[in-house]
Every structure is written in structure tokens, then in C-alpha cells.
Amino acid sequence: MHILDEIVERRKEDIQKYGFGFGAAVPKKRTRGITPFLVQKGAILEIKRASPSKGDIAPNLDASQTAQLYAQAGAAAVSVLTEQRYFKGSLDDLQAVCRSVDSFAARTGKPAPAVLRKDFLLCPEEVDVAYTCGADAVLLIARILDDKTLLAMAGRCRSLGISALLELRLDDDLRKLSLVVQEYGTESVVCGVNARNLSTFAIDLLAPAGIRGEILHSTGADMRVVFESGIRTPSAAAFAGSMGFSGMLLGEAAARNPGEAASLVRAFETAKPTRTAAQWLSFADAAFKKNHSDEKKRKPLVKVCGLTGTKDALQAAEFGAEFLGFIFCAKSPRNVDAETVRAARELLAEKSERPFSVPKIVCVITECDSAEGKAAIELVRDGTADFLQLHGRKAAEQFFADESLSFLPHYAAVNVSSEEDLAEVERLLQQGEPRILIDAQSCGKIGGTGMHVNRSLCEAAAKKVRLWLAGGISAGNIREIVQNCEPELVDVNSGIESAPGKKDRQKMADFFSQL
């Protein structure tokens, strides 16, 4: 039984035993006004003591005092987890937070943050309880509610004058959203997309971006969409803010360090669209459509790396590669110059007729300040190339230390040969890097070594981020890799070569046929 199913089953038992108030003193009527929920871009900070995935987060948290800190930090709303068994919350917390934010408004003259009841609500009666306890909005999780119940609960929100934060994740959730919007419009509905998979509790920072595009396509540009979970640092908050989300919900990061919430709020609210965000939005949208099409969902994207000429680049594109990698490193036998990449870009634009669009061009660098690194950066800067691959710690440290480079689309590649190397993966994820290429370690060499990443390390990395995998991949092992590791992207280099930098058409054909 998945944890979400378990929570729902235990909740049904508790409702039978304790009623909809779960033992709390529920007022007979509401005593406060209604604060509009997320009318402009802003952060939702959460009152959260524990979770099933993290255990105790802030067990001694005082809901009233924390709400004051959140209001001072500029929160647009305060989310209150009222689930008791797994999150150690209560309706008493909800009422305490409502009193606290009203006190803040009276004392400072500033608007009170709206208050969201976040819970696993199952029926309209629970919306009524939230309303009388003072909530301005309630969370409705689409996947745990059937059509009739969801419509009834959304309708109850509308009639009471509060908002529904409708959380979506699955294909069928989008269908349910359409039903709600058709019936009630968008005025009282806000969409939330959780970066955390509620079945496995794994985080994917691009999951909200992929679904956001579908939401706006089906409901219109005025629909407000909230990025939920997975944000722990200001740079990660800025990444979410740069992708056009109306709101960001912070749980663990805010609850553990309420005093640092202001920096997270500012980073999100002040973030502007960037080329990095645009590239990841495009990727997330394409990946979402691919994963929800009739294709075999386990088929990974392919990056053919170590290309040294236009002929091989065009062949890789014709076979179906979504990414083409060119290495800019003087020590590599596959080192190329800028003109090779420019020629490949022109040829691909002229010849490509693939529906997935022209493959993304990636410039792989090991240093930002070398002549090769500077040439690659310029190719991405002027739009000839689509991404920089920051291969190794030195390239990543130089890139992130230079603010003038921050807008350039990029991802990091981490050489992994032990569990200690996974700490670098975790560090990059915390600062908001949505994808990281996991590559084999080989004495400082860059690509095409034929070495494999240990399977247990692949599995450990896959628990942290959607797996992008390089190292020793060929036609002979790609099926096993896909079956065992389920990568989102595979990076193939020497496994399809006749010599370093010379791709073999037959080996390439064999590789793609195995997919």
C-alpha cells in the first residue's frame, strides 16, 4: 500500500471514531473575515511539524509564533497542516494561526496572509469545518477524490467564498480540473502541482513545470498555478519563480528555519524569466507529453555525445537523438571548435523533419575560463547551442561563482564512483538544479571511457533525481540499463564509435533499434 493510500484509509477510520473535528473544539460559526487567497505572485509558508518521509521536522513548533514570523517574512499565505497521525497537526493549529495573522494585521496595519488548511480532505463536511475554523482556502487532492465528491467540495468552497487549492499530478487529475473549471470557472480555484510524488515521496523539480503547461492550455492563461514542495534554498526558490508560477509552497524549508523564510520569499517573488527557465520549461513540456503519450513510457531520451562532425550529428538526429553533445576540452580526443557546432546547427535546422523538433545542442566543458570553455559559453550565449554541460566540480564551481553566467541554460555532470560522490548530487539539487548527469569516474578523463556507474549508485541517485546516465552505454547493454535503472536520459559516446570521435553508423543503428 502506498503511503498516500495508507493516510487516506487511516483518515477514514479517524473520521468514524472522532468525527470531522478530530477531537478539536470546532466553532459553530466563523468569526473572521475572508482574506483572498493568492491574488498576486507570492509564497505560501507552512506550519509543519513532521511528515511520513522526513519524520520529525519541527516537533516543538508553536503555530501562533511561527505564523507571526511568516507574516513578517512577507508570506502571501500560511499553510497549516491539520493532519494528526503523520504530520502532527490539528484544527487547533488552524485556529491559532488565524488568530495570529489577524493580530499581525491589527498590530502592523499590513494585510494578513491568507490561511490555507492543508489536509487530506475527503468530503464537503470537512470544507465546512475548515471554513468555520477560519480557513481562507482548503487543499483538495484530485487523485484521492472521485468526480462527484470533488465537484461537491469545490462547489462548497465557492458558495462559502473561500478558495480551493486543487492539487494535480496525474493525467486523470487534469480531466478532473476541466470538470471543476467547466462548472465553477477559475475565480475560486487555484492549481497546485507537487514536485513530490505522493506515492514514493521522491522529488522532481520539473514535474510542476511539465503539468503547468497542460493546465494553462486547458484552462486559460489566467489560471493560478502553485509550485509545491522540494524548495530548500533561495536559488531553488528563484528557479521556481523564474518559470512563471503564481505561487510557491514551502514546507520543510520554512518550518525548520522560520527566520530564514524571508530570503526564500524574496527570491521567489523577485525572480524574472530567464533563458535557463525557458529551456527547462520547454524540456518539461516535451517530456510530459512524451511520458503521457502512447509510446512506451520507459523509453529514455538519448544524448549522443562526443560528436566531432556534421555528418555524425545529422545521423544521430535522424536516428532519434534528442540531445547532441560537443566536447570543448583540449585534453579530449573529441575536442571540437565553435565552427563545427555552428555548422551542425545550420545543417540540423535545414534538414531536420522530426516531430520532436531539432535536437538540443549541448556544449560540454570542464573549465569556464579556458579558451575552449569561453568558446562554448559564447555559443550558448548567442543561442547557437542550447545547454552547457558543466562536467566535473571545477566547471560547476566556476560557473556558479560567476553571476553573469547564471542566465545561461546549463546542467551539471557529476562523476560518481562512491557514495561520497552522491553528496555533490544532493548539494546541486538543493540549490535548484533540476537535472544532473551521473557519469563514471575515470582519472579526470572526459567522456568516452567505456566505464560504467555501479548499479547500486545508479539506484541511489535515482532516488534523489530523475536519472540521467552516462558511462559505458552501448547496444549490448542498453535494454538491461533501461529495465533496471529506468533512466529519463541516457548519454552514449564510445559505445557507438569505431574510433574516438568517429561514430559508427551500424553501431548507432543497433543502439537505437534496441530502444
Side-chain angles (χ1 to χ4, degrees), residues 238-310:
F239 177 68
S242 69
M243 291 193 292
F245 286 90
S246 304
M248 168 186 66
L249 193 150
L250 291 177
E252 179 186 348
R256 287 192 188 277
N257 300 290
E260 298 179 10
S263 62
L264 296 166
V265 172
R266 285 195 301 272
F268 174 77
E269 290 182 347
T270 60
K272 299 293 189 290
T274 64
R275 283 181 56 196
T276 296
Q279 283 287 11
W280 285 121
L281 283 168
S282 174
F283 173 83
D285 186 58
F288 181 87
K289 288 182 171 65
K290 177 180 182 294
N291 290 334
H292 295 76
S293 70
D294 292 332
E295 297 180 51
K296 292 183 178 179
K297 296 180 182 179
R298 298 177 72 187
K299 179 181 176 181
L301 302 171
V302 176
K303 171 174 171 261
V304 173
C305 198
L307 295 163
T308 57
T310 56

Side-chain angles (χ1 to χ4, degrees), residues 246-406:
S246 304
M248 168 186 66
L249 193 150
L250 291 177
E252 179 186 348
R256 287 192 188 277
N257 300 290
E260 298 179 10
S263 62
L264 296 166
V265 172
R266 285 195 301 272
F268 174 77
E269 290 182 347
T270 60
K272 299 293 189 290
T274 64
R275 283 181 56 196
T276 296
Q279 283 287 11
W280 285 121
L281 283 168
S282 174
F283 173 83
D285 186 58
F288 181 87
K289 288 182 171 65
K290 177 180 182 294
N291 290 334
H292 295 76
S293 70
D294 292 332
E295 297 180 51
K296 292 183 178 179
K297 296 180 182 179
R298 298 177 72 187
K299 179 181 176 181
L301 302 171
V302 176
K303 171 174 171 261
V304 173
C305 198
L307 295 163
T308 57
T310 56
K311 179 181 177 181
D312 287 348
L314 185 58
Q315 285 184 355
E318 289 172 346
F319 277 118
E322 287 86 5
F323 291 80
L324 305 178
F326 295 85
I327 295 174
F328 284 76
C329 175
K331 295 179 181 179
S332 172
R334 301 171 181 85
N335 182 44
V336 298
D337 58 23
E339 291 310 309
T340 299
V341 176
R342 294 188 191 281
R345 168 64 84 186
E346 292 177 5
L347 184 63
L348 289 167
E350 176 186 340
K351 298 288 187 180
S352 180
E353 298 178 355
R354 297 173 50 239
F356 191 91
S357 78
V358 177
K360 301 292 185 183
I361 290 182
V362 179
C363 292
V364 181
I365 64 173
T366 56
E367 299 173 302
C368 293
D369 57 0
S370 66
E372 293 78 16
K374 290 177 181 178
I377 288 170
E378 189 58 35
L379 287 170
V380 178
R381 194 190 301 275
D382 68 19
T384 300
D386 301 291
F387 282 97
L388 281 172
Q389 178 177 309
L390 311 173
H391 203 93
R393 184 183 291 270
K394 183 176 183 179
E397 288 179 346
Q398 290 180 337
F399 182 87
F400 295 124
D402 188 343
E403 291 187 7
S404 69
L405 302 179
S406 61

Side-chain angles (χ1 to χ4, degrees), residues 398-449:
Q398 290 180 337
F399 182 87
F400 295 124
D402 188 343
E403 291 187 7
S404 69
L405 302 179
S406 61
F407 73 97
L408 295 177
H410 65 275
Y411 63 86
V414 176
N415 297 118
V416 174
S417 60
S418 68
E419 290 187 3
E420 287 74 21
D421 295 323
L422 294 176
E424 176 67 5
V425 174
E426 181 65 26
R427 186 186 70 79
L428 289 165
L429 290 174
Q430 287 194 20
Q431 71 180 44
E433 294 299 302
R435 292 293 185 268
I436 298 164
L437 180 67
I438 306 300
D439 198 2
Q441 182 73 266
S442 182
C443 302
K445 294 182 180 179
I446 176 171
T449 65

Side-chain angles (χ1 to χ4, degrees), residues 21 27 34 164 271 289 316 373 492:
I34 297 174
K289 288 182 171 65
V492 61

Side-chain angles (χ1 to χ4, degrees), residues 36-43 76 224 245-247 268-269:
F37 180 70
L38 210 65
V39 292
Q40 59 186 13
K41 183 179 181 179
R224 293 162 289 169
F245 286 90
S246 304
F268 174 77
E269 290 182 347

Side-chain angles (χ1 to χ4, degrees), residues 495-510:
I496 54 173
E497 287 183 335
S498 57
K502 303 298 181 183
K503 304 307 179 193
D504 185 292
R505 182 176 179 84
Q506 187 57 52
K507 288 183 178 180
M508 199 182 299
D510 292 343

